[in-house]
Amino acid sequence: MSALETPVLRAADFRKISALAREKFGLNLPEGKEGLVAARLARRIREGRFRGFEEYFRWVTADQTGEALTALIDSLTTNHTSFFREPAHFDFLRERAAGEFRERPSLRIWSAACSSGEEPYTIAMTLLEAARQTPCRWAGDVQILASDISTRVLDKARAGVYEAARFDQMPEERRRAFLLKGTGARQGWFKLKPAVMDLVQFERINLIGPLPRRAFLFIFCRNVLMYFDRLTQQTIVARLVECLEPGGYFFVGHSETLSGMEHPLSYVRPATYVKAGRRGV
Ligand SMILES: C[S@@+](CC[C@H](N)C(=O)[O-])C[C@H]1O[C@@H](n2cnc3c(N)ncnc32)[C@H](O)[C@@H]1O
């Protein structure tokens, strides 16, 4: 196939790709999404010089490293994110961390589809700011688990280096507190300071696979549920809630909702839920 030709997605190709994406990642690609699949995968087919979708599919399923599958999911989902995206959640986190949770000896937080790291680093900055304003007992013991299915975005997240434009909306004071400005070949880039990066541990976790055996006080599960069908969403939420402490908070994206779904959470405010039960100290 030449660099200019557009590969043709036949109905049989679409069915195979959509079944594979569902089996491996829980991704929902019902009929009607053919255009999306064709557009998103065309570049991979051209760049890999495959003769078409069938050959590409055979290559993905034969690859033992798992990298081809990861690249496939990367093409089918978006990794769009930003620092302080949907800021109401971070205001809420700041309030609770410095309020009802102020006397806790530690804080454990999970960013469960962290993309390139902006979300967990925002959590870290929020907590550092909160502890600077109000003395909090947990200040010396914060752990933020940040996970995603995509190794590509996780590598970027671990590096903690971003183009300056990513911070355009960030107040100068916050930039000075948390960012190191690149010089020379690194001009136009910022790196997060160690104080921010040290609070975050990255791991590759597929939300439909084994989940951490730890309990978290806050779980951020934002802008990822939209990729799954309703039943898979419900299963994922139920499994994530098992990782949430009683009295802990669960966030979804503001364009997502848990309404109409069976789950043991109570609504607090838009895109914010709490797990019933008594909080540990
Ligand atoms: C749009 S980003 C959301 C980033 C961040 N949570 C935010 O709201 O800004 C969605 C992320 O979900 C990840 N993702 C998709 N399917 C997944 C799965 N089965 N398990 C874990 N992560 C998944 C994608 O790789 C992508 O990085």
Side-chain angles (χ1 to χ4, degrees):
M1 169 149 307
S2 86
L4 297 172
E5 267 177 87
T6 306
V8 176
L9 179 75
R10 295 168 308 141
D13 299 328
F14 174 73
R15 276 198 298 276
K16 279 193 219 159
I17 290 169
S18 122
L20 183 71
R22 175 177 294 278
E23 182 202 329
K24 301 290 184 189
F25 310 110
L27 223 66
N28 184 31
L29 293 170
E31 270 178 36
K33 296 277 184 188
E34 291 84 350
L36 179 138
V37 169
R40 294 270 178 90
L41 297 182
R43 214 182 98 211
R44 295 220 172 267
I45 290 179
R46 282 198 294 265
E47 285 177 359
R49 299 184 179 277
F50 297 104
R51 268 171 302 190
F53 283 95
E54 197 178 340
E55 192 181 72
Y56 169 68
F57 180 82
R58 258 189 275 121
W59 176 75
V60 170
T61 46
D63 172 48
Q64 298 290 313
T65 66
E67 279 171 28
L69 258 178
T70 302
L72 172 83
I73 180 103
D74 253 357
S75 298
L76 294 176
T77 61
T78 100
N79 304 114
H80 173 77
T81 186
S82 55
F83 288 98
F84 290 90
R85 179 184 192 186
E86 303 182 18
H89 282 148
F90 302 105
D91 295 340
F92 184 85
L93 171 67
R94 180 181 294 112
E95 255 168 61
R96 300 291 149 145
E100 65 175 306
F101 297 134
R102 194 178 150 186
E103 290 302 326
R104 288 197 44 126
S106 61
L107 285 187
R108 300 288 179 263
I109 300 179
W110 182 14
S111 165
C114 69
S115 188
S116 36
E118 287 84 338
E119 183 176 275
Y121 289 137
T122 300
I123 297 170
M125 289 186 257
T126 301
L127 294 177
L128 288 168
E129 283 176 353
R132 197 175 292 163
Q133 279 158 14
T134 313
C136 295
R137 196 165 157 221
W138 46 258
D141 192 0
V142 173
Q143 283 179 23
I144 302 161
L145 170 66
S147 66
D148 200 281
I149 186 79
S150 164
T151 44
R152 185 182 59 81
V153 290
L154 286 172
D155 285 347
K156 179 164 172 38
R158 281 191 189 100
V161 174
Y162 300 88
E163 273 181 298
R166 307 287 290 162
F167 302 101
D168 276 353
Q169 306 300 317
M170 197 178 271
E172 183 54 33
E173 194 191 335
R174 194 173 268 162
R175 285 202 233 180
R176 245 183 287 122
F178 299 124
L179 304 179
L180 297 166
K181 199 172 180 173
T183 54
R186 289 279 185 186
Q187 185 119 30
W189 295 80
F190 282 104
K191 186 170 169 68
L192 288 150
K193 288 191 179 171
V196 179
M197 294 185 64
D198 289 351
L199 300 186
V200 186
Q201 293 89 44
F202 292 96
E203 250 179 67
R204 182 173 190 252
I205 297 174
N206 183 348
L207 294 177
I208 66 159
L211 299 182
R213 294 176 163 275
R214 279 164 264 172
F216 300 91
L217 193 53
F218 294 86
I219 296 181
F220 287 68
C221 179
R222 308 190 312 160
N223 303 302
V224 62
L225 289 175
M226 59 177 112
Y227 294 117
F228 310 112
D229 64 28
R230 210 65 188 149
L231 189 63
T232 312
Q233 288 181 355
Q234 188 161 310
T235 311
I236 289 176
V237 171
R239 296 178 66 233
L240 289 178
V241 170
E242 282 175 25
C243 307
L244 193 62
E245 279 190 37
Y249 292 98
F250 190 86
F251 301 122
V252 296
H254 281 81
S255 59
E256 298 167 316
T257 175
L258 302 187
S259 70
M261 212 185 266
E262 266 180 45
H263 59 75
L265 298 168
S266 307
Y267 176 87
V268 179
R269 54 206 261 179
T272 305
Y273 299 83
V274 66
K275 180 171 173 175
R278 251 195 87 216
R279 252 165 223 135
V281 179

